[in-house]
Amino acid sequence: MLSLFLKCLLGALAVLVIALLSRSRSFFIAGLVPLFPTFALIAHYIVGSERSAADLRTTALFGLWSLIPYAVYLLAVYWLSVRTTLTVTLASATLAWAVAAGALLLGWSRAYPQAL
């Protein structure tokens, strides 16, 4: 139970830092905070402690590939932000992320069928 509480606390801390930075002169740094590997650290610790080193490597490799859907999301936000409303921009960018993530999962399952 303490472990779950600490994970929730990390997430809340990240949201607080993002909120504070978004109000500062350096508001753009708020875009860097979600890339701090808070959740990756948790995931890698769990995989690394419960599975083999090879599985941890596979998780890290998939994490590298998962940057592609995130890049698609950011490109969509960048492009749509001056063309549509905030709601449409974020909804469209989220949909673009979901499509790219689906394509990644499909490609990964074909390239690494043993990982499923």
Side-chain angles (χ1 to χ4, degrees):
M1 188 59 127
L2 179 62
S3 171
L4 184 59
F5 176 75
L6 291 174
K7 292 171 190 169
C8 292
L9 193 60
L10 281 173
L13 181 62
V15 170
L16 178 63
V17 170
I18 291 168
L20 292 173
L21 283 171
S22 69
R23 293 184 179 108
S24 74
R25 289 180 57 213
S26 302
F27 61 90
F28 51 89
I29 298 174
L32 181 62
V33 175
L35 297 177
F36 181 80
T38 306
F39 300 110
L41 285 167
I42 293 167
H44 294 152
Y45 176 79
I46 292 170
V47 171
S49 63
E50 295 180 1
R51 303 189 61 101
S52 69
D55 289 344
L56 179 57
R57 285 178 50 121
T58 300
T59 302
L61 181 60
F62 185 79
L64 285 170
W65 282 100
S66 72
L67 293 173
I68 295 170
Y70 188 64
V72 168
Y73 170 83
L74 291 176
L75 287 169
V77 169
Y78 181 82
W79 190 75
L80 293 169
S81 63
V82 293
R83 291 169 173 77
T84 64
T85 66
L86 177 61
T87 303
V88 171
T89 294
L90 297 180
S92 299
T94 301
L95 179 61
W97 177 91
V99 170
L104 172 62
L105 288 171
L106 183 62
W108 185 267
S109 66
R110 290 189 178 168
Y112 297 94
Q114 70 280 7
L116 294 179

